[in-house]
Amino acid sequence: EAYELYLRGRFCWNQRTAESVRQAVGFYERAIARDPLYALAHAGLAESYVLFPWLSVAPPHDSMPKARTAALRALEIDDALAEAHAALGVYLSFYAWDQPASERELRRAIELQPGSATAYHWLGNIALLAMGRWDESLAAVRRAGELDPLSLSIASDTGVTLLYARRYDEAIAQFRRTLAVDPKFYVARYHLGLTLHAKGDYAAAIAEHRTCLESDGDPWV
């Protein structure tokens, strides 16, 4: 039963909306209530809480300490759990601002689970991106895309890496490929708007962001 609840949480987590990630936390908490030593569910909580600030669910000072606590609890139960190391890596980058430590945790996650698309995704789009290591960042996030070709989040964040590397035309093409799969995936459309803005096409950028607001009221938009 705990595993079923974990899978439901994972499905919601993959949607990457404020409401779906809140729902994921609920499923993971129910899984932990059924099995307090279920390390994956604790890791799932950590993976969800690290997304809260970026989805405008809760401020970092509220959610990031919870992410750390959940990740460390998961590792206390099973220190070889890649998901927990990956979530801790995000905490270290976004909140502790310790990029070398973040990279170590994310590479440890990959070492433990070489097929982890999430670990490659976050290594590329978080730790390496924050350090301005564009080529390495792009290689990692593209590896994530090979491992999980159906992930809209990974596809979109490949475009984000290209945006930060100022490869604007490639980024625009990447976001549009992502939106061709799901036109309502507002994260890709939001970043498409930012890229158009960076290129100086303000009218197109505003149009993309207005379309975003029709599907999501995220304050970032």
Side-chain angles (χ1 to χ4, degrees):
E1 187 174 351
Y3 179 62
E4 279 280 330
L5 290 165
Y6 172 78
L7 290 180
R8 289 173 181 267
R10 198 70 180 173
F11 175 82
C12 292
W13 179 81
N14 271 315
Q15 306 308 303
R16 290 297 202 280
T17 68
E19 182 57 31
S20 69
V21 175
R22 285 194 197 96
Q23 291 172 343
V25 165
F27 283 119
Y28 293 141
E29 288 177 338
R30 287 170 59 191
I32 292 167
R34 295 295 184 189
D35 182 359
L37 296 180
Y38 192 18
L40 263 179
H42 288 282
L45 274 183
E47 290 177 307
S48 298
Y49 283 133
V50 295
L51 296 180
F52 271 24
W54 297 102
L55 296 173
S56 302
V57 177
H61 68 262
D62 177 59
S63 60
M64 284 301 195
K66 292 179 181 178
R68 179 180 182 274
T69 297
L72 292 178
R73 178 57 179 145
L75 292 172
E76 181 182 339
I77 299 167
D78 181 1
D79 65 1
L81 195 63
E83 291 85 351
H85 283 285
L88 188 57
V90 178
Y91 164 85
L92 288 165
S93 178
F94 278 168
Y95 195 68
W97 201 247
D98 187 341
Q99 306 309 332
S102 172
E103 181 181 2
R104 285 194 298 273
E105 288 295 332
L106 288 159
R107 291 198 184 279
R108 177 59 176 155
I110 291 169
E111 178 185 341
L112 291 167
Q113 193 177 112
S116 172
T118 296
Y120 274 105
H121 177 194
W122 286 351
L123 172 66
N125 193 244
I126 294 175
L128 296 175
L129 188 72
M131 291 186 279
R133 289 155 60 181
W134 313 126
D135 291 342
E136 293 175 81
S137 171
L138 190 57
V141 78
R142 280 180 169 161
R143 177 58 182 149
E146 292 170 358
L147 292 166
D148 189 357
L150 298 181
S151 170
L152 294 173
S153 178
I154 291 171
S156 180
D157 279 349
T158 302
V160 171
T161 296
L162 291 164
L163 164 60
Y164 276 84
R166 300 186 181 185
R167 294 162 61 171
Y168 300 136
D169 290 336
E170 293 174 72
I172 289 168
Q174 179 67 30
F175 293 130
R176 286 182 171 153
R177 280 194 294 270
T178 306
L179 290 167
V181 178
D182 183 359
K184 294 183 179 180
F185 190 65
Y186 89 95
V187 174
R189 194 171 299 281
Y190 167 69
H191 284 102
L192 173 58
L194 291 185
T195 310
L196 291 165
H197 177 272
K199 283 199 70 177
D201 192 347
Y202 304 125
I206 290 170
E208 294 295 345
H209 286 146
R210 288 196 188 284
T211 302
C212 283
L213 288 174
E214 294 173 7
S215 59
D216 195 283
D218 189 336
W220 286 93
V221 179

